[in-house]
């Protein structure tokens, strides 16, 4: 169905010529075509415009090919792995069954590897839609309506993504993907309130100072790109020469439901496990937790979380950290702290050992996330993870514990694998290491990994900072702060022998933990 009504013809339309392409001229030239009253001439000019779009997207374009002789074909498009037959239409009425049959007759003269692309500014009829789906064994016909054409005109690199989406919709789901129809479906999905699937639950529990299980930790703080983690893979820790690589996926997410669907998609594609941590920052308070389900719950419970704040900011920052095959990734962004929960920014950033020999799983993420740009691996210039020891003995005020529960262990006993502690550098004269200043001067609490674990039944009297590791993705910082405990024997403090306790990992299944923080503002 046409989105725009037919405009009155321009008396000079016979002299209209599309100028050689240059930056930002495509939409302007399409607007000029709307004044052409002769449908045949207008269709021809649209064909020329489409050829320019494909060339700009780095496809090989063959004008008036003989691939379907004696039937005439507007033009053909060739990529490194696909061949397309292109038909362009711009008539007063939607393209019907006759147009689809004509396209199919051309496909019938070719081998089964060629796919037809039908570009129609007036859309297609319901009957034509049904024939494209029902007779797809006779050849695939992918439809581009006005919404799709406008997207490609704004950014020709969108063609790759649109072709993948339309092919998958037709072959896998048995539906014709049309921009206008998908736009309306997206609006309906965003307003439907459909719940995301069940996300992984961390195997660890968070305890406050009273020993109660709580859903997340919180404390005084401000905006920061940092997220605490108990396991930080070093992508440079390999015997081969060279450096690791990074890959960014700027995701289109309009609101909180889109963000939750992103988490659901990551889970469905096997990118979530048991080692995730997350943080949410507001003006005056930060929340820290683990487990994908805890992160989703914290996002949805934003009103309850911020109800006690005197002057909350109009937006929140978030960082989600996950270990994956070959490295780790972060999901970071900004979301409004009001009813619309509008997502201003969302980016998935990977750091990997190298470029995978088979990047199919990452390509699937691009398809699933509807990423509006091409993805490129970039080599890391510096080492991914930096590490150092803290100077001196810096004691910690413990506010909570991260527990590996008895039902997850062979010895059937709860063990402490991490701590929540007051940040000794926050609001004090003590200065953090230079490379941690931007992270530790904006949070009143820190989450630490224990260098030596101990049973929950045997609490220790003294914990101190030991070392730290830090990695930076494109827009987030992952921090692994290590603490050690000391025990008294005959009046002398002694550090536990290395290896006395397991060196476990901080995985994903933690519920949320609320801890009273003496530094809370």
């Amino acid at each position: 169905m046409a989105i725009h009504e037919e405009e009155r013809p321009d008396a000079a339309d016979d002299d209209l010529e599309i100028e050689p392409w240059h930056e930002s001229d495509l939409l302007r030239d399409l607007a000029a075509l709307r004044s052409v009253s002769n449908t045949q001439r207008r269709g021809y000019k649209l064909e020329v415009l489409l050829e320019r779009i494909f060339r700009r997207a780095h496809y090989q374009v063959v004008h008036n090919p003989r691939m379907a002789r004696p039937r005439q074909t507007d033009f053909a498009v060739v990529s490194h792995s696909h061949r397309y037959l292109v038909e362009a239409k711009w008539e007063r009425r939607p393209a019907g069954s006759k147009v689809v049959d004509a396209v199919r007759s051309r496909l019938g003269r070719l081998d089964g590897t060629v796919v037809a692309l039908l570009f129609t500014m007036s859309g297609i009829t319901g009957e034509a839609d049904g024939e494209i789906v029902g007779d797809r064994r006779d050849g695939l016909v992918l439809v581009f309506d006005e919404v799709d054409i406008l997207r490609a005109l704004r950014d020709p690199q969108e063609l790759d993504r649109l072709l993948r989406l339309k092919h998958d919709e037709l072959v896998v789901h048995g539906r014709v993907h049309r921009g206008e129809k998908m736009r309306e479906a997206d609006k309906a999905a965003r307003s439907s309130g459909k719940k995301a699937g069940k996300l992984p639950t961390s195997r660890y529990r968070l305890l406050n100072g009273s020993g109660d299980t709580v859903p997340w930790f919180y404390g005084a703080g401000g905006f920061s790109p940092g997220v605490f983690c108990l396991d930080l893979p070093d992508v440079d820790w390999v015997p081969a020469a060279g450096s690791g690589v990074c890959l960014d996926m700027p995701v289109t997410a309009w609101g909180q439901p889109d963000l939750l669907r992103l988490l659901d998609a990551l889970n469905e594609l096997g990118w979530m496990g048991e080692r995730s941590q997350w943080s949410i920052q507001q003006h005056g308070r930060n929340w820290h937790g683990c487990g994908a389900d805890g992160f989703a719950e914290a996002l949805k419970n934003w009103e309850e979380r911020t109800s006690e704040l005197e002057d909350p900011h109009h937006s929140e920052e978030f960082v989600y950290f996950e270990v994956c095959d070959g490295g780790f990734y972060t999901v970071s962004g900004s979301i409004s702290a009001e009813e619309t929960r509008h997502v201003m920014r969302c980016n998935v950033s990977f750091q990997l050992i190298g470029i995978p020999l088979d990047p199919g799983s990452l390509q699937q993420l691009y398809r699933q996330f509807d990423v509006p740009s091409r993805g490129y691996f970039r080599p890391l210039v510096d080492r991914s993870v930096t590490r150092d020891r803290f100077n001196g003995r810096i004691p910690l005020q413990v506010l909570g514990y991260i527990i590996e529960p008895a039902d997850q262990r062979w010895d059937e006993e709860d063990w402490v694998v991490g701590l929540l502690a007051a940040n000794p550098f926050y609001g004090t004269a003590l200065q953090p290491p230079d490379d941690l200043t931007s992270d530790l001067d904006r949070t009143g609490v820190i989450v630490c990994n224990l260098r030596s674990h101990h049973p929950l039944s045997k609490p220790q009297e003294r914990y101190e900072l030991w070392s730290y590791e830090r990695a930076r993705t494109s827009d987030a910082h992952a921090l692994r702060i290590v603490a050690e405990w000391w025990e008294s024997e005959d009046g002398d403090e002694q550090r536990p022998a290395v290896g006395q306790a397991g060196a476990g990992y901080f995985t994903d299944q933690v519920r949320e933990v609320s801890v009273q923080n003496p530094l809370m503002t």
Side-chain angles (χ1 to χ4, degrees):
M1 185 174 185
I3 296 177
H4 295 275
E5 295 295 331
E6 192 72 32
E7 299 183 7
R8 297 187 64 182
D10 191 322
D13 63 11
D14 288 340
D15 298 326
L16 176 67
E17 292 293 338
I18 296 178
E19 301 175 7
W21 74 266
H22 57 273
E23 202 66 32
S24 303
D25 65 337
L26 297 173
L27 284 170
R28 181 199 66 204
D29 289 344
L30 180 70
L33 283 180
R34 295 185 186 279
S35 64
V36 178
S37 58
N38 186 297
T39 56
Q40 185 175 2
R41 180 174 177 78
R42 186 171 58 190
Y44 170 74
K45 293 297 183 181
L46 175 62
E47 175 188 330
V48 175
L49 187 61
L50 293 174
E51 288 183 6
R52 289 164 53 195
I53 297 174
F54 276 100
R55 287 194 176 98
R56 192 176 297 187
H58 310 299
Y59 285 79
Q60 179 186 352
V61 176
V62 182
H63 183 71
N64 197 19
R66 299 183 178 183
M67 59 195 308
R69 293 179 64 184
R71 302 301 297 269
Q72 184 178 1
T73 301
D74 288 348
F75 65 93
V77 173
V78 181
S79 70
H80 70 285
S81 58
H82 296 90
R83 292 168 176 80
Y84 300 103
L85 176 154
V86 181
E87 182 75 11
K89 294 289 183 183
W90 193 346
E91 300 180 348
R92 290 181 174 85
R93 296 180 179 179
S97 299
K98 290 183 178 180
V99 174
V100 175
D101 291 341
V103 172
R104 279 248 171 79
S105 69
R106 294 175 175 84
L107 287 179
R109 298 174 180 273
L110 306 171
D111 63 42
T113 63
V114 179
V115 175
L117 307 181
L118 175 57
F119 287 82
T120 167
M121 288 290 289
S122 301
I124 63 174
T125 64
E127 184 181 4
D129 187 303
E131 290 185 3
I132 290 173
V133 173
D135 300 331
R136 58 187 184 276
R137 288 186 177 181
D138 298 331
L140 299 180
V141 180
L142 309 183
V143 178
F144 286 72
D145 63 8
E146 183 174 2
V147 172
D148 297 317
I149 294 172
L150 289 173
R151 285 175 177 170
L153 287 169
R154 291 189 184 96
D155 181 7
Q157 307 305 327
E158 278 280 278
L159 280 172
D160 284 343
R161 184 182 66 85
L162 289 172
L163 286 169
R164 290 195 303 267
L165 284 175
K166 292 176 181 297
H167 188 276
D168 289 349
E169 279 290 304
L170 186 57
V171 174
V172 179
H173 302 291
R175 298 190 295 260
V176 175
H177 181 286
R178 285 181 280 162
E180 178 62 20
K181 185 170 65 175
M182 292 301 108
R183 186 168 63 178
E184 295 302 320
D186 289 344
K187 290 180 181 179
R190 286 195 292 270
S191 61
S192 66
K194 181 181 178 181
K195 296 182 179 179
K198 181 173 176 56
L199 296 172
T201 301
S202 176
R203 61 177 293 178
Y204 290 88
R205 288 188 291 117
L206 303 181
L207 304 182
N208 62 15
S210 302
D212 299 323
T213 300
V214 284
W216 50 66
F217 293 132
Y218 66 84
F223 294 103
S224 166
V227 59
F228 296 107
C229 56
L230 299 189
D231 184 20
L232 181 56
D234 189 344
V235 300
D236 296 311
W237 195 257
V238 293
S243 62
V245 297
C246 61
L247 175 67
D248 285 291
M249 297 184 184
V251 178
T252 301
W254 301 106
Q256 182 171 287
D258 296 322
L259 184 56
L260 296 176
R261 281 194 290 271
L262 168 63
L263 298 178
D264 196 40
L266 281 166
N267 183 40
E268 288 181 352
L269 293 172
W271 287 95
M272 285 186 171
E274 295 186 341
R275 295 187 244 179
S276 66
Q277 292 85 55
W278 54 267
S279 67
I280 299 176
Q281 300 95 33
Q282 247 286 359
H283 174 63
R285 184 171 295 187
N286 295 160
W287 294 265
H288 308 280
C290 50
D293 64 339
F295 178 55
E297 195 65 25
L299 288 173
K300 291 184 285 188
N301 289 348
W302 66 274
E303 287 184 289
E304 181 180 347
R305 284 191 293 103
T306 60
S307 61
E308 298 178 1
L309 301 183
E310 294 182 0
D311 185 25
H313 194 262
H314 60 76
S315 65
E316 299 180 326
E317 302 286 325
F318 61 84
V319 183
Y320 175 88
F321 174 90
E322 180 74 83
V323 176
C324 65
D325 291 340
F328 61 90
Y329 68 88
T330 58
V331 180
S332 57
S334 177
I335 185 171
S336 64
E338 39 83 27
E339 288 186 1
T340 64
R341 294 297 276 169
H342 173 63
V343 176
M344 281 76 77
R345 172 180 58 85
C346 185
N347 186 57
V348 182
S349 184
F350 286 84
Q351 285 200 13
L352 305 171
I353 293 173
I355 300 175
L357 186 61
D358 180 6
S361 57
L362 292 170
Q363 291 173 348
Q364 184 62 27
L365 285 179
Y366 258 80
R367 295 186 182 188
Q368 188 79 12
F369 294 168
D370 200 15
V371 178
S373 65
R374 288 186 173 182
Y376 297 94
F377 290 99
R378 299 277 296 172
L380 298 174
V381 177
D382 300 316
R383 292 191 63 85
S384 170
V385 177
T386 58
R387 51 179 60 84
D388 205 346
R389 288 282 300 273
F390 286 101
N391 293 325
R393 299 183 63 176
I394 304 175
L396 293 173
Q397 179 183 0
V398 177
L399 305 173
Y401 299 98
I402 301 169
I403 303 301
E404 184 178 23
D407 58 6
Q408 302 290 339
R409 294 182 54 86
W410 62 272
D411 57 3
E412 298 183 353
E413 186 173 6
D414 293 339
W415 279 66
V416 179
V417 299
L419 306 172
L420 175 75
N423 181 2
F425 306 105
Y426 185 80
T428 68
L430 194 62
Q431 295 298 312
D434 292 340
D435 51 346
L436 295 185
T437 301
S438 62
D439 300 305
L440 296 186
D441 65 356
R442 300 177 186 177
T443 176
V445 296
I446 56 176
V447 178
C448 304
N449 176 35
L450 271 186
R451 183 169 180 263
S452 303
H453 303 172
H454 65 76
L456 180 62
S457 60
K458 299 178 180 179
Q460 304 301 313
E461 296 181 359
R462 182 181 178 88
Y463 297 88
E464 296 179 355
L465 290 178
W466 180 264
S467 64
Y468 64 89
E469 298 175 356
R470 182 177 184 268
R472 196 179 96 180
T473 61
S474 296
D475 43 17
H477 301 165
L479 306 175
R480 180 176 182 262
I481 297 179
V482 180
E484 183 62 287
W485 53 271
W486 299 76
E487 58 186 357
S488 298
E489 184 174 335
D490 298 330
D492 297 326
E493 283 189 338
Q494 296 184 0
R495 179 169 56 85
V498 176
Q500 176 174 326
Y505 293 100
F506 185 37
T507 58
D508 274 48
Q509 299 182 349
V510 183
R511 296 289 181 185
E512 306 169 332
V513 180
S514 343
V515 175
Q516 295 300 326
N517 180 7
L519 299 178
M520 192 76 67
T521 56

